[in-house]
């Protein structure tokens, strides 16, 4: 009889201590998060500015190349070699500028994406505590959560909180 009573008490405690679980579709969250959209817009604008700057270097270079080809037949071998070397140096300079611009954009994207990820993680933690969740999974369509009942999907609720928080900035 004591064993039956102990098992019954254990079952009552087990049912009282159920873990409250939910999941968030990370792809949807990040696609619809206003901060992500703002970051993409900002990076695209910077990319366009950098592209214009690089074009301003590239257009005169292309003109010099055309002029070289037009005049190459009348140049001496030494003059051609000097012109080719100067063009090659200028091309290397332009390529270097292109690489620097790409690195700057990539680094900025990485740094700001990390800040966004930390912000999302922080707000999800606050959300989970306020709603009594013990565990919130993130799914990205790659198998992290193979199946989740739609009633456990809190993506829209968390997205609303994130966007409200972002709009306060």
């Amino acid at each position: 009889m004591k064993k039956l009573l102990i098992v019954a008490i254990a079952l009552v405690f087990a049912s009282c201590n159920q873990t409250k679980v939910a999941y968030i579709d990370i792809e949807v969250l990040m696609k619809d998060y206003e901060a992500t959209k703002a970051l993409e817009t900002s990076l695209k604008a910077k990319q366009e500015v950098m592209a214009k700057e690089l074009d301003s270097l590239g257009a005169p270079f292309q003109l010099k190349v055309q002029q070289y080809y037009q005049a190459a037949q009348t140049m001496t071998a030494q003059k051609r070699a000097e012109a080719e070397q100067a063009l090659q140096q200028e091309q290397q300079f332009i390529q270097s500028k292109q690489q620097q611009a790409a690195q700057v954009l990539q680094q900025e994207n990485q740094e700001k994406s990390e800040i966004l990820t930390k912000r999302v993680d922080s707000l999800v933690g606050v959300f989970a505590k306020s709603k009594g969740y013990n565990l919130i999974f993130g799914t990205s369509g790659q198998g992290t959560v193979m199946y989740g009942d739609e009633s456990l999907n809190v993506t829209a609720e968390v997205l609303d909180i994130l966007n409200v928080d972002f709009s306060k900035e």
Side-chain angles (χ1 to χ4, degrees):
M1 186 73 164
K2 286 184 181 180
K3 287 183 181 179
L4 185 57
L5 184 57
I6 292 172
V7 170
I9 291 172
L11 286 174
V12 169
F13 279 127
S15 66
C16 290
N17 291 330
Q18 282 187 340
T19 302
K20 191 171 177 185
V21 177
Y23 71 92
I24 296 172
D25 186 331
I26 301 299
E27 287 181 17
V28 170
L29 185 78
M30 295 311 275
K31 180 181 73 116
D32 294 337
Y33 184 23
E34 293 301 324
T36 304
K37 293 176 184 179
L39 174 60
E40 289 172 358
T41 301
S42 169
L43 289 175
K44 189 173 184 176
K46 286 184 180 187
Q47 183 180 18
E48 289 172 3
V49 167
M50 289 180 172
K52 286 179 183 178
E53 289 174 9
L54 292 170
D55 285 346
S56 72
L57 295 175
F61 173 72
Q62 291 300 324
L63 183 60
K64 289 178 186 176
V65 169
Q66 288 175 354
Q67 290 171 346
Y68 164 76
Y69 281 120
Q70 290 172 352
Q73 294 176 354
T74 60
M75 293 180 173
T76 65
Q78 182 178 350
K79 201 72 158 153
R80 271 197 314 268
E82 289 172 1
E84 288 171 3
Q85 183 177 8
L87 288 172
Q88 187 176 27
Q89 287 176 347
E90 190 170 347
Q91 182 179 23
Q92 288 172 347
F93 173 77
I94 292 170
Q95 287 173 340
S96 171
K97 288 289 190 184
Q98 289 170 332
Q99 289 173 348
Q100 287 174 349
Q103 287 174 343
V104 165
L105 285 173
Q106 183 179 14
Q107 184 174 353
E108 184 174 344
N109 183 29
Q110 183 177 353
E111 289 171 358
K112 290 189 176 182
S113 292
E114 285 177 18
I115 291 169
L116 282 180
T117 300
K118 287 178 183 177
R119 172 185 250 157
V120 168
D121 290 349
S122 174
L123 286 171
V124 167
V126 170
F127 168 81
K129 289 176 186 174
S130 72
K131 298 291 185 173
Y133 288 103
N134 301 94
L135 186 63
I136 295 184
F137 291 101
T139 178
S140 61
Q142 302 296 322
T144 307
V145 175
M146 297 297 291
Y147 170 78
D149 187 294
E150 200 54 39
S151 66
L152 301 175
N153 186 347
V154 295
T155 305
E157 196 173 351
V158 171
L159 181 60
D160 288 342
I161 292 168
L162 286 167
N163 284 333
V164 166
D165 181 66
F166 178 72
S167 70
K168 292 178 183 176
E169 290 183 2

